[in-house]
Amino acid sequence: MPNTRFLDVTPMLDSKAPAIAALISERGWQQLSPHERIGAAYDYVRDEILFGYNVADTRPASLVLADGYGQCNTKATLLMTVLRALGIPCRLHGFTIDKSLQRGIVPELVYWMAPRNILHSWVEVRLDARWINLEGFILDQQVLGSLQAAFPGRTSLCAYGAGTDCLQAPMVSWQGRDTYIQRTGINGDLGVFDSPDAFFGEYEQALTGGRGWLYRNIIRHWMNHRVAAIRRGAVQALPGGDNALMPDVPARVFTDR
């Protein structure tokens, strides 16, 4: 049986917050089976919390919920919080991704400012005595659909927030198995953590000082406008052609833990 620490409440995983409790009550998720609870929470975070960039990775889940948008790390925090509130054990797996995965969202004018290695995470959920990797919740269906329409002949894409070798049919729906959407951009494995609090207590995004201020106050809003444009179907071409759409990292193999 999993250790109860995988159900703990933390400052970031604020599963006792009124907004989290209200969401679960309104949706009736407590009445579902464990498999269905995971699917309901997963689908909600994937498509009803839009893909976008919050002010900080360390934002508590209730504030991510209030924002109504998030990226890999903040969406992971919200998903973990809802899962724990539903009695589903889960943990965080930390990584770094190459900044090329963000190209097309980070404007070219400031792309040089982005750190080469960007902190990334996915959620590992415990079901039927095994850990299942959940990463496919990051892009909402409208963003993913726009990318599929913009690149109808492509299978591999590592840009615009996607990192997949099966663009037209990525593993993003909950079917009781692993899901991925940014996997091919990963360039470093930082290990497994009980909570995002533990992860960000040890690692920090490499955007500090003036660059950090610019990101929080200007650049991320610019990025969110670009994501909104992609959601509407406006996918801007990247300098460099096909090479700009390929992962800038070696292929990695991840094994179940």
Side-chain angles (χ1 to χ4, degrees), residues 125-159:
V125 64
R126 187 77 172 176
L127 182 67
D128 298 331
R130 64 192 179 96
W131 290 103
I132 301 169
N133 301 332
L134 301 181
E135 192 209 46
F137 57 82
I138 300 168
L139 300 186
D140 59 80
Q141 186 55 51
Q142 288 178 294
V143 168
L144 178 58
S146 291
L147 295 177
Q148 290 169 328
F151 303 104
R154 292 196 68 85
T155 55
S156 179
L157 177 68
C158 192

Side-chain angles (χ1 to χ4, degrees), residues 44-80:
Y44 176 83
V45 172
R46 183 187 64 187
D47 289 328
E48 296 191 52
I49 303 298
L50 299 180
F51 177 51
Y53 293 83
N54 314 86
V55 69
D57 284 328
T58 53
R59 205 151 175 78
S62 59
L63 294 183
V64 178
L65 179 63
D67 286 344
Y69 60 88
Q71 32 81 344
C72 58
N73 298 315
T74 51
K75 277 196 169 194
T77 295
L78 179 56
L79 179 57
M80 288 184 68

Side-chain angles (χ1 to χ4, degrees), residues 156-180:
S156 179
L157 177 68
C158 192
Y160 306 100
T164 178
D165 284 330
C166 44
L167 176 63
Q168 300 306 321
M171 300 175 288
V172 295
S173 62
W174 168 246
Q175 299 176 18
R177 59 185 181 183
D178 298 343
T179 71
Y180 302 105

Side-chain angles (χ1 to χ4, degrees), residues 6-134:
F6 299 126
L7 294 170
D8 282 349
V9 178
T10 72
M12 291 180 66
L13 302 177
D14 55 348
S15 55
K16 303 294 186 184
I20 301 296
L23 172 67
I24 291 172
S25 176
E26 290 165 4
R27 301 292 175 121
W29 292 340
Q30 284 285 13
Q31 314 309 316
L32 303 176
S33 69
H35 183 279
E36 291 170 330
R37 290 180 196 180
I38 296 169
Y42 178 93
D43 288 348
Y44 176 83
V45 172
R46 183 187 64 187
D47 289 328
E48 296 191 52
I49 303 298
L50 299 180
F51 177 51
Y53 293 83
N54 314 86
V55 69
D57 284 328
T58 53
R59 205 151 175 78
S62 59
L63 294 183
V64 178
L65 179 63
D67 286 344
Y69 60 88
Q71 32 81 344
C72 58
N73 298 315
T74 51
K75 277 196 169 194
T77 295
L78 179 56
L79 179 57
M80 288 184 68
T81 300
V82 175
L83 289 171
R84 290 192 179 187
L86 290 168
I88 303 294
C90 55
R91 65 189 184 187
L92 194 79
H93 198 142
F95 302 93
T96 57
I97 55 172
D98 188 87
K99 72 175 186 177
S100 58
L101 184 141
Q102 305 272 22
R103 201 164 180 202
I105 293 176
V106 178
E108 289 295 309
L109 184 64
V110 294
Y111 182 72
W112 62 272
M113 291 177 56
R116 170 57 64 184
N117 302 314
I118 299 170
L119 290 182
H120 172 64
S121 59
W122 69 48
V123 175
E124 295 185 354
V125 64
R126 187 77 172 176
L127 182 67
D128 298 331
R130 64 192 179 96
W131 290 103
I132 301 169
N133 301 332
L134 301 181

